[in-house]
Amino acid sequence: MATFTIAQRAEITLEIRKSRFIGIVMPVPGREAAMQEIARMREAHRSATHVCWALMAGGQSGMSDDGEPSGTAGRPMLEVLRHHELDGVLAMVVRYYGGVKLGAGGLVRAYTDAIATALKSSERTERVAQAEIEIGVVYSAEPQLRHWLIQQKYELLNSRHDTLAHLHLRLPEAALSQAEEAIRRLSSNAEIKRLS
């Protein structure tokens, strides 16, 4: 089953009964990056009443109501991300309280609307599972291998040289077996090690 992420960060502002809700959605690689973004948002909005968030990131998903009544902020935001079949996405809402209580139903609607509206201005893209491998080849095969990598548009992450030339690359997981065959055609004694 395909999963999706978003192409770029999007931010919107909603005024609801004198409270200001700033909805932000952004792609993130995982929980650690999400926590850094949340900390940045808290720093940028020190006078905000709440900075609530929801994260869809495989086994690293999570949410926080940040002081709002339980289940009125984080969970509704997480449900919006689930409804859009998103993964690798952080949703945050910064709330500046305006003095009028919204009630539990009003809060759920406000947080849901903030994220749903932010998602409307962000392009949804298919998330392609990636794999990382390290290839070890004799030095004479390295130029051909690098040329092949450029042709395939695979991402070269790192290289090192000792008795062999080692290239660390990222490619779509679905292309892995085909890539291994092509590498062995370029260098029959290539060492291929799966890293992730």
Side-chain angles (χ1 to χ4, degrees):
M1 188 174 102
T3 60
F4 300 88
T5 190
I6 55 176
Q8 73 283 337
R9 183 182 195 277
E11 182 175 318
I12 58 91
T13 301
L14 299 176
E15 294 284 336
I16 302 171
R17 298 183 66 194
K18 298 186 180 179
S19 282
R20 185 162 47 116
F21 292 84
I22 303 167
I24 302 117
V25 291
M26 67 178 65
V28 290
R31 192 174 185 95
E32 187 178 324
M35 293 301 115
Q36 291 171 356
E37 292 295 339
I38 294 162
R40 266 196 281 281
M41 198 55 58
R42 289 187 198 286
E43 185 64 28
H45 294 275
R46 288 185 188 187
S47 60
T49 320
H50 307 281
V51 177
C52 304
W53 58 270
L55 171 67
M56 283 299 288
Q60 303 176 355
S61 299
M63 63 189 162
S64 170
D65 292 318
D66 192 36
E68 290 282 30
S70 181
T72 61
R75 180 160 305 286
M77 294 160 56
L78 195 63
E79 289 305 320
V80 172
L81 298 179
R82 275 196 186 115
H83 175 75
H84 285 86
E85 300 172 320
L86 295 172
D87 195 49
V89 175
L90 171 64
M92 294 180 284
V93 175
V94 178
R95 181 184 183 196
Y96 287 90
Y97 181 61
V100 178
K101 291 191 175 184
L102 301 179
L107 287 171
V108 168
R109 278 189 300 281
Y111 283 98
T112 299
D113 288 352
I115 296 309
T117 305
L119 285 172
K120 284 180 186 172
S121 53
S122 183
E123 180 189 348
R124 188 173 94 143
T125 61
E126 188 169 355
R127 187 174 178 149
V128 178
Q130 299 287 306
E132 289 185 22
I133 59 173
E134 184 177 88
I135 306 162
V137 293
V138 294
Y139 283 95
S140 60
E142 184 182 9
Q144 291 169 283
L145 182 59
R146 284 184 179 264
H147 179 71
W148 174 80
L149 289 175
I150 291 166
Q151 285 179 319
Q152 299 301 313
K153 296 184 171 75
Y154 295 153
E155 184 181 0
L156 179 62
L157 301 173
N158 197 1
S159 63
R160 65 183 170 82
H161 297 83
D162 48 41
T163 55
L164 295 173
H166 297 272
L167 304 178
H168 177 185
L169 59 125
R170 182 181 295 136
L171 65 157
E173 197 163 311
L176 196 53
S177 61
Q178 188 178 352
E180 286 180 5
E181 287 175 24
I183 293 163
R184 296 214 189 280
R185 280 196 303 273
L186 290 170
S187 177
S188 60
N189 58 353
E191 294 177 5
I192 303 170
K193 183 167 64 173
R194 175 92 188 249
L195 302 174
S196 72

